[in-house]
Amino acid sequence: MYSLERPVQGRSSCSKDRLGRKRRTVVSSLTEDEELTEILKSYSSNKVTTTKYSFLSFIPKNLFEQLHRFANIYFIFLAALNFVPVVNAFQPEISIIPILLVLAVTAVKDLWEDYRKHKSDKFINGLVCEIYSRKQQMYVDQRWQDVHVGDFVRLSCNEIIPADMLLLYSSDPHGVCYIETANLDGETNLKQRQVVRDLPRQGSELTPENFHSRIECENPNNDLSRFRGFMEYPSKARVGLHNNNLLLRSCTIRNTETVIGIVVYAGHETKAMKNNNGPRYKRSKLERRLNVDVLWSVVLLVIMCLTAAIGHGLWLRNLKDTSFLIPDTTSPALSGFYLFWTMIIVLQVLIPISLYVSIEIVKLCQIFFIQNDVDFYNEYMDSRIQCRALNITEDLGQIQYVFSDKTGTLTENKMVFRRCTIAGVEYPHEENARRLEVYEEDEAMGCSHTLKSRASAKSLSCKSLSCNRSSVSLHTLTGHSEGEESPSPTLPRHSAFSSPMEKDIVPDPFLVQKLNCLSSPLFLLRDASMELTYIVDFFMALAICNTVVVSSPNQPRHVVRSTVSRTPLKSLEDIKMLFQRFGLPRFSTLSSPHTTESPRSFTRRLFSRGKAASILSIRPGEPRADELIYEAESPDEAALVHAARAYRCTLQGRSLERLLVELPGMGSLAVRLLHILPFDSSRKRMSVVVRHPLTNQVVVYTKGADSVIMDLAESPKGAEQSDGRQGHIREQTQKHLDNYAREGLRTLCIAKKVQTSTEYEIWLKRHAFAETSIENREELLLESAQRLETNLTLLGATGIVDRLQEEVPETIEALQRAGVKVWVLTGDKQETAINIACACKLLRTTDQLLTEACKALLLELRAEVERGEAAEGTSGFTLVVDGRTLDFALQEDLKGDFLELSRRCRAVVCCRSTPLQKSHVVQLVRDQLRVMTLAIGDGANDVSMIQVADVGIGISGQEGMQAVMSSDFAISRFKHLRKLLLVHGHWCYTRLANMILYFFYKNVMYVNLLFWYQFFCGFSGSVMTNSWVLIFFNLLFTSAPPLLYGILDKDVSADTLIKLPELYKSGQNSKAYLPSTFWLTMLDALYQSLVCFFIPYFAYAGSDADMLSFGSPINASALLIILLHQVIESRTLTWLHVLVLVGSALFYFSFTLVFSVVCVTCSPPTNPLGVDKLQMSQPLFYGVCALTTVLALLPRYTHQQYISPSDTLKAALMDQLNPDNYCRRMQHWNQTQAQSKARGLIINVEDLDIKIPDFILPKELKECRAATGSVLS
């Protein structure tokens, strides 16, 4: 225990409490205390700057950032080295052109991105809000950037909050404010915020001059769900501050006419800016491989330069008294040392200087194509895929393990009440089940029964309030110019989780009959009256144990009025008597009124009063004059509130301290709300503490996971009959829960507890201390909630259906055929997880299920799997583990056995797993097996898993945007994962891998030409071409084709990649870019350089051709070889490819011709004047070029097309066959090659590793195959 007291004076915002924690002190900016004023000035202003550069700092700062790349430093060093006369290879000015061009292109790209951020910042900082002015004694318009900590800000309906503010005043009579957090976390349902508790009333509106309280709160952080602090009034009284008192920057005021708050965090210290991390940057697997190969290129460069240096030294040593050698006192060894650096300059293009810039450009274009793929567009949510990580697109083509959440990821997360059990009696709601089947059939046929998803149903502006300011949309905050039109007040208003499928629940007739039979004169059973108490309590809990905001099209919010609609009973004593006479002993704490009326006559009188008691008379879907709209924070809450409403237990309004609930036969009752204990992942439950409107008792209603509630549901203190009844209820409820789980339903248990006044007062004191604590507040509140939620009375349980998303089974099946192992990590029960896994085809009917994976049986199960793998024709294995088993399996001594067992299974299902366990499982598989992992989820509990995986994907579904904001890619449906990986992932990987290899190939091929020439010039560092062509050859003449290759090449069509998921395995195994592939490419470049150099050498041997004349056909041949090499490698050839390839060739020949005509002293000491013009006028030049090109490319073409074609090449050739051609080739093959393997255009299953049932052909080809015989046999 410790004291939070400390004096106001003499303490700064950075002062520490007795526990050593820093705090922030906030007072009114109107204070005259100079020291406190200085404290306020030390805080950040509200001006936001997300740019990296200023006008003066751009050039030095951008250069400094680019110099962090080793390649840039390397080329700057070579450019500087060329200015040294003793080692320079050619004109110093020419050597700086490549690095200047690369730095300039990168700088322009960075400048453009920064300028866009600057425009967005300028717009946001210029937004206007009302701030209280000390001089003018009134609220005046000020820009957002002029807001400071301690200022009083007044906002109206639909205005966006400029800074994090503590709510001090609301025009709502109950001190409530409604906000929409869509700009912050994507959630469109309204959230309720409340004025600081016990704030003294100061007239109709808060007067800033009269505010003299001091605020102590935690320092700025990025936790959106937490705010800790207290407010100390001038009387020294303190009140705790919570997240419900804080209005966050970027949120929008809704359904509230006026609010006033004091700024506590501004600018970059706000929670919104703390969470604004921008794009995510990761290093892809391909980049790591690239860095290794760059080092190998450096090794090759050093070897070549050392060879030239040694050769030059030996050559000089063997030369004596030569007339052409200029006398020099430099020793051969020193000349060799100088020559080493000269050759470094000459052969510098061996390191691909433009490769890194090209990769960035290609990745940006790949992201553009992914984001604009119409197949990823969700018309209901009006959303498309988001690419938040800009540099790991190729990792999408190498995924080996997928870890998926269940709820909201595999399923719709549209929770629909399906059935329930109350007091041990199960109510199947068969009519409700048939209703859901009708909706599913209609949706399959394309009928629009359901409303659009929540993202397309924004919470509209308040209707009955005078909101004179228009709304600013999320696009405005992100720098887009398009605004959001204010909705018409006459338009219908829809909220999240409120489609007809979710709302129109058909009540169970048996349950309705039990309620209606109470009005029968034959009703005498006391047991039924006890059951009635359970039923009423059950639906009361469903209606009020939540944080649902109630509104309607005609009234923006429903609050508890001072007068409650009259109950149909003459007095509340009648209702109280029902709960005290018919209830369990827990209701007998209050003395029962003495009356001689019998239970039968009372119940008949109670449930026969007009329409209020008639449940059957109201049908779902009937229009009502004042239809209620529920703004729920989760689909579970909405489903339960709609279920209670179906039985006319309706939540009608909510305020800070009261709830308005309508009960059948009782009318509207005002329920005093004492506390809300919100849901958290550790407790797995939520509770509300209320003052019961009938018995005046303090009652705790709790709902939560069955595994938790069943443990907390103990027998209440009372009669043995009650004790026995509770035991029977628990036993029957558990059976029903098991049945629900086997059906794949989500289960929630409902319980209650009645507290005595003494018990409540003791708990309240401890809870008040926890609420006012700054340090360890979460731990203290958790302990307080756990003290209260004990010895619960179990009321019943609900079964909620959460349907699979469309095409989930097909997507998982395709991923498994592609060699991707799919794991499902969920917090649901084992039976529910298994049922969903079967429904989505993760588990096959032939699979053997391993569910006992405890510590003692781990090795035994592993041995069983190994025996099963050895047996022929055996089915696969699927491992199912729960949270407790995971705790054992993640221990250091069992990690290896667990991984080995799971690696041998087709699929793994982890149930009852916590968010931390999810991340540990992903990290274990990623690090220990060294595989590429992908995690996909939609909720805040999936964030840690998404961040740990190599690729994290968030689903923008029903649970907000926490997962999306932490992800690398964001999609709206699980089915999009299929095309994202199998098509775009495959394309991105193969394009980048082939482009990188092509860069290495063309650079090594051209550099080797210069190296071979050294053997004929005494290793002097001379080159057979002018320096301009040498520099521009790789930088300009051959740079555009590989860029187009990396952006547009499609080795296989999208349809074929979808039909043949097995083609994805090439990316998993990195077949396109293996170390062996790199060295084979280097050998091919070596061979082509030998052909390209020595054919012209022998063709011009004995002639009078000079050095530049000899180099002209070599350069031309090298250009043609490099360009045509790409044509062979490319699987796509469009007019754009032809234009770029022909344009590159024409650019080279035009440049060299013009250069040879006009340039006289451009490349001293050589003179290229007229050389290329003369060469291009001779037939020998073209003959040499043609022969060299054919001989150089012939091995590559033959090997790729005929000797060892790849699987993707075979699939690509299949794309080009029409059905008739395919049939003719198949018939020819069946007649002539029946006993041999098919090659060329015929796909062999052994080569492709494709099973016959999995190979999907067009309908015409299938018919032809059936008529002529299978080509895949």
Side-chain angles (χ1 to χ4, degrees), residues 481-728:
S481 59
E482 51 266 21
E484 179 183 356
E485 295 182 1
S486 299
S488 171
T490 61
L491 290 176
R493 180 165 175 257
H494 304 303
S495 64
F497 325 124
S498 61
S499 66
M501 181 181 65
E502 295 166 299
K503 292 194 304 181
D504 299 341
I505 298 170
V506 180
D508 185 86
F510 186 48
L511 183 54
V512 172
Q513 184 181 5
K514 284 190 175 182
L515 292 175
N516 285 346
C517 75
L518 295 177
S519 61
S520 171
L522 301 178
F523 178 70
L524 295 171
L525 299 177
R526 180 171 177 80
D527 284 343
S529 66
M530 295 173 65
E531 185 180 9
L532 174 63
T533 305
Y534 277 93
I535 293 174
V536 175
D537 273 334
F538 179 84
F539 286 114
M540 174 76 83
L542 296 191
I544 69 175
C545 189
N546 52 64
T547 57
V548 171
V549 176
V550 187
S551 58
S552 71
N554 300 326
Q555 185 177 356
R557 63 201 181 281
H558 282 199
V559 297
V560 182
R561 302 174 181 85
S562 57
T563 59
V564 181
S565 58
R566 186 176 179 181
T567 175
L569 299 176
K570 291 182 179 178
S571 70
L572 289 178
E573 292 298 321
D574 293 339
I575 306 174
K576 190 182 298 183
M577 182 168 58
L578 167 69
F579 283 88
Q580 292 174 347
R581 275 194 170 190
F582 297 165
L584 293 174
R586 65 181 182 280
F587 291 113
S588 60
T589 56
L590 295 179
S591 60
S592 301
H594 298 285
T595 178
T596 59
E597 187 176 22
S598 67
R600 183 181 64 181
S601 62
F602 172 73
T603 54
R604 181 171 65 248
R605 183 165 60 89
L606 175 63
F607 287 91
S608 61
R609 292 179 176 268
K611 295 182 179 180
S614 177
I615 299 179
L616 287 176
S617 62
I618 300 179
R619 301 175 181 271
E622 283 187 353
R624 298 182 56 185
D626 192 25
E627 184 178 0
L628 298 177
I629 294 177
Y630 293 135
E631 298 275 358
E633 292 190 8
S634 71
D636 298 83
E637 281 193 346
L640 297 182
V641 175
H642 289 308
R645 185 179 176 186
Y647 288 93
R648 289 300 174 259
C649 296
T650 306
L651 176 64
Q652 294 183 316
R654 173 186 294 275
S655 70
L656 184 61
E657 298 178 350
R658 292 186 183 276
L659 301 169
L660 189 63
V661 182
E662 180 185 359
L663 297 179
M666 304 178 194
S668 298
L669 302 176
V671 182
R672 184 180 177 188
L673 180 62
L674 303 177
H675 301 281
I676 295 180
L677 306 180
F679 176 88
D680 63 68
S681 58
S682 58
R683 288 168 46 242
K684 297 184 179 179
R685 58 188 180 274
M686 80 160 292
S687 299
V688 293
V689 185
V690 298
R691 180 76 66 178
H692 201 284
L694 305 178
T695 64
N696 204 36
Q697 295 171 317
V698 176
V699 183
V700 181
Y701 288 105
T702 303
K703 69 177 181 183
D706 55 286
S707 60
V708 176
I709 301 298
M710 296 298 284
D711 292 338
L712 297 175
E714 300 180 1
S715 300
K717 301 175 183 179
E720 294 181 0
Q721 178 185 2
S722 171
D723 202 3
R725 184 177 182 85
Q726 267 293 294
H728 173 74

Side-chain angles (χ1 to χ4, degrees), residues 12 23 304 345 405 469-470 541 682 828 899 965 1054:
S12 69
R23 302 177 182 173
M304 295 170 73
I345 299 173
D405 178 40
R469 292 181 182 270
S470 60
S682 58
D828 285 337
L899 279 177
M965 291 189 294

Side-chain angles (χ1 to χ4, degrees), residues 231 246 393 539 580 647 664 782 806 833 900 950 965 1137:
M231 179 183 289
L246 192 65
T393 53
F539 286 114
Q580 292 174 347
Y647 288 93
L782 177 61
E806 71 277 10
E900 186 62 26
D950 294 295
M965 291 189 294
H1137 291 79

Side-chain angles (χ1 to χ4, degrees), residues 974-1013:
F974 184 82
K975 68 177 182 179
H976 295 157
L977 190 64
R978 183 181 184 183
K979 186 173 185 181
L980 182 62
L981 296 187
L982 302 185
V983 178
H984 287 284
H986 175 84
W987 283 345
C988 290
Y989 169 72
T990 54
R991 288 167 176 171
L992 270 175
N994 292 331
M995 188 192 76
I996 291 172
L997 288 174
Y998 182 77
F999 261 95
F1000 281 116
Y1001 149 77
K1002 73 184 185 71
N1003 287 14
V1004 171
M1005 188 267 187
Y1006 190 73
V1007 162
N1008 276 331
L1009 299 176
L1010 306 178
F1011 181 68
W1012 303 138
Y1013 184 71

Side-chain angles (χ1 to χ4, degrees), residues 2 38 165 199 447 633 678 696 700 771 785 788 820 860 863 893 912 948 951 1009 1017 1068 1187 1250:
Y2 59 94
E38 290 299 321
M165 310 189 316
L199 194 66
C447 299
E633 292 190 8
N696 204 36
V700 181
E771 285 185 324
L788 184 67
V820 178
E860 182 180 341
D893 56 335
R912 295 295 192 195
V948 166
V951 177
L1009 299 176
C1017 67
Q1068 289 177 324
L1187 180 62
I1250 302 174

